[in-house]
């Protein structure tokens, strides 16, 4: 593998106009220094998808996930949704290892310290007579948590205003008649992939590869009328479905990317969320959740099975090309190439947001 190189090269992190843009250099696609910079300036500062509101319906329902590599827990309380670092203040144990229901308190799995649902420490096992120790001094670091169209997002640090993050999305969903808040959770799938998390997202953000990598998907989409728009914090790829398709019916397919790592793949009566998480050793985990409109009959079951089988075929094609691309990025051969302004504008938008966060990090760590 090539060395990590210099991550503070001002010229390659300068903003690039789309018309003459090049891809992000390979040096940003590997290494602990890049991962540390991204945890601080990307995952530690932006809104990320947690789950659907239908998965946290009652008081005490909670779920666990990560903001990048930070374990978090999000819980519905009497005062609304709350989110915390899922890291005990004693010796870093987890408060929960998977989703659960009806919690009245959060109990660390390691030595049993308990926290109230407002994040304050409630009890500390066998610590009553310990010098200079007061449970009132201890609480879990909290997150910002917001709900939008039935989707729950969380952020640590100083994220953009949530209203700016979601600007324009509700209006666009309404035009297509999509009501994400009415959908019901169906299934969770997770894929561990041998590539940097950005390699996977870059690939998601362009339809340029669809005719070459996804022959079956290409038949469903009208590639010529495939449109990609970029907005402040999200991009949108959309295409009318080829009419008469019996798997998805007719209507509009909307593929949202919300910086830095959330995708919403929306078809009539169906939502598939993707969350891309960095893993150690330059791997990533892509988590899919499938949601559907209320089941009307047996035909819906068959359609869901085919939808998930088809998604698996497309995902397999994407995983293989992403792992091949990562080998290319790691080869030492690659020098950042030119982007196609028409077909890779959303990728450019993603990389511009990354460049801005990298510049901010370098500025703060001079
Ligand atoms: S690490 Fe949580 S109680 Fe010890
Ligand atoms: Fe693809």
């Amino acid at each position: 593998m090539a060395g990590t190189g210099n991550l503070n090269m001002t010229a390659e992190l300068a903003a690039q106009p789309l018309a003459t843009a090049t891809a992000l250099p390979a040096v940003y696609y590997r290494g602990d220094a890049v991962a540390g910079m991204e945890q601080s300036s990307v995952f530690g500062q932006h809104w990320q998808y947690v789950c659907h509101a239908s998965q946290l319906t009652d008081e005490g329902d909670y779920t666990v996930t990560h903001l990048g590599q930070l374990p978090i827990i999000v819980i519905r309380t009497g005062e609304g949704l709350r989110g915390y670092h899922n890291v005990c203040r004693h010796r870093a144990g987890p408060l929960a290892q998977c989703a659960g229901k009806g919690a009245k308190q959060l109990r660390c799995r390691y030595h049993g310290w308990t926290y109230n649902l407002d994040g304050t420490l409630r009890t500390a096992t066998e610590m009553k007579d310990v010098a200079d120790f007061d449970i009132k001094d201890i609480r879990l670091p909290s997150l910002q948590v917001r709900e939008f169209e039935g989707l729950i997002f969380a952020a640590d640090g100083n994220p953009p205003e949530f209203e700016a993050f979601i600007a324009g999305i509700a209006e666009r969903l309404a035009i297509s008649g999509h009501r994400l808040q009415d959908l019901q959770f169906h299934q969770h799938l997770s894929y561990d992939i041998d590539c940097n998390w950005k390699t996977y997202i870059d690939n998601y953000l362009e339809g340029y590869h669809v005719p070459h990598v996804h022959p079956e998907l290409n038949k469903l989409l009208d590639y010529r009328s495939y449109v990609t728009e970029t907005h402040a914090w999200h991009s949108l790829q959309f295409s009318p479905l080829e009419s008469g398709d019996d798997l998805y019916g007719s209507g509009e397919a909307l593929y949202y990317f919300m910086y830095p790592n959330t995708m919403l793949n929306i078809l009539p009566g169906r939502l598939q969320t993707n969350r891309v998480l960095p893993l150690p050793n330059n791997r990533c985990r892509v988590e899919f959740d499938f949601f559907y409109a209320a089941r009307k009959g047996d035909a819906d079951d068959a359609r869901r099975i085919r939808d998930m089988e088809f998604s698996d075929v497309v995902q397999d094609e994407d995983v293989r090309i992403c792992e091949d691309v990562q080998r290319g990025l790691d080869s030492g051969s690659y020098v950042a190439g030119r982007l196609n302004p028409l077909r890779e504008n959303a990728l450019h938008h993603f990389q511009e947001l990354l460049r801005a966060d990298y510049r901010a990090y370098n500025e703060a760590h001079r």
Side-chain angles (χ1 to χ4, degrees):
M1 186 184 283
T4 50
N6 182 355
L7 300 178
N8 200 358
M9 285 183 279
T10 315
E12 57 184 37
L13 291 183
Q16 298 195 359
L18 175 62
T20 53
T22 53
L24 196 64
V27 68
Y28 294 96
Y29 287 82
R30 60 174 168 263
D32 292 345
V34 174
M37 174 169 75
E38 290 175 340
Q39 186 59 40
S40 164
S41 69
V42 179
F43 296 108
Q45 301 291 344
H46 290 281
W47 294 100
Q48 287 147 76
Y49 172 70
V50 174
C51 67
H52 192 274
S54 64
Q55 294 170 285
L56 300 181
T57 49
D58 299 321
E59 208 170 307
D61 292 356
Y62 59 91
T63 193
V64 295
T65 181
H66 291 79
L67 298 181
Q69 299 190 36
L70 171 69
I72 66 161
I73 181 165
V74 173
I75 184 161
R76 190 174 291 282
T77 75
E79 282 76 51
L81 291 163
R82 294 287 180 272
Y84 304 104
H85 293 201
N86 186 12
V87 181
C88 179
R89 298 295 103 189
H90 172 223
R91 279 187 32 240
L95 307 166
Q97 288 148 311
C98 59
K101 297 215 153 281
K104 301 265 189 288
Q105 60 184 13
L106 299 171
R107 179 185 300 276
C108 177
R109 318 315 301 172
Y110 202 2
H111 312 98
W113 289 20
T114 62
Y115 295 85
N116 296 304
L117 299 192
D118 66 2
T120 54
L121 187 62
R122 178 177 187 155
T123 63
T125 332
E126 298 173 52
M127 292 286 286
K128 197 158 68 68
D129 299 322
V130 173
D132 294 331
F133 178 83
D134 186 345
I135 59 171
K136 290 199 286 300
D137 296 338
I138 299 174
R139 61 175 305 137
L140 297 168
S142 57
L143 307 168
Q144 295 188 54
V145 182
R146 298 289 294 272
E147 184 177 336
F148 161 73
E149 300 280 307
L151 307 174
I152 295 170
F153 291 83
D156 202 18
N158 294 300
E161 288 290 324
F162 190 72
E163 288 63 33
F165 174 66
I166 59 170
I169 297 179
E171 295 80 352
R172 184 66 182 79
L173 291 175
I175 291 170
S176 297
H178 295 299
R179 285 185 52 82
L180 306 185
Q181 56 274 65
D182 295 345
L183 303 179
Q184 296 169 356
F185 175 71
H186 184 67
Q187 190 164 339
H188 174 82
L189 292 175
S190 175
Y191 301 84
D192 285 7
I193 309 176
D194 275 324
C195 71
N196 184 271
W197 67 281
K198 300 186 295 298
T199 308
Y200 185 87
I201 291 179
D202 287 346
N203 173 71
Y204 174 90
L205 287 172
E206 44 88 357
Y208 199 19
H209 72 273
V210 168
H212 310 283
V213 174
H214 305 301
E216 292 303 313
L217 178 62
N218 196 40
K219 286 183 205 154
L220 274 181
L221 298 173
D222 182 354
Y223 182 70
R224 281 153 305 156
S225 47
Y226 200 95
V227 176
T228 304
E229 293 174 352
T230 61
H231 300 263
W233 294 106
H234 75 270
S235 56
L236 169 63
Q237 303 173 70
F238 62 96
S239 156
L241 294 165
E242 290 284 354
S243 56
D245 170 67
D246 65 341
L247 179 52
Y248 296 116
S250 53
E252 245 185 340
L254 303 179
Y255 302 98
Y256 277 101
F257 169 71
M258 302 170 81
Y259 184 80
N261 69 339
T262 300
M263 290 89 146
L264 309 176
N265 301 316
I266 302 165
L267 294 159
R270 179 266 209 192
L271 163 69
Q272 180 210 58
T273 60
N274 305 161
R275 179 173 37 216
V276 186
L277 296 170
L279 294 179
N281 301 319
N282 219 21
R283 305 184 80 226
C284 69
R285 175 167 298 157
V286 183
E287 297 183 337
F288 284 18
D289 284 331
F290 289 83
F291 302 86
Y292 294 102
R295 182 184 177 281
K296 294 205 186 70
D298 293 347
D300 283 345
D301 295 338
R303 206 171 287 124
R304 290 172 189 192
I305 290 169
R306 278 197 297 144
D307 180 29
M308 282 188 292
E309 284 173 352
F310 184 54
S311 157
D312 207 52
V313 168
V314 174
Q315 175 67 353
D316 195 51
E317 291 163 345
D318 280 324
V319 167
R320 277 185 284 138
I321 195 69
C322 286
E323 292 184 341
D324 283 341
V325 167
Q326 188 66 47
R327 280 186 277 276
L329 290 167
D330 288 346
S331 67
S333 159
Y334 179 69
V335 178
R338 283 293 298 274
L339 299 180
N340 179 326
L342 175 65
R343 297 292 183 193
E344 294 177 308
N345 57 324
L347 185 150
H348 170 256
H349 170 260
F350 171 53
Q351 297 192 348
E352 282 294 291
L353 291 171
L354 287 169
R355 285 187 177 98
D357 281 342
Y358 295 167
R359 288 195 300 271
Y361 178 88
N362 287 336
E363 198 59 41
H365 294 82
R366 262 179 206 287

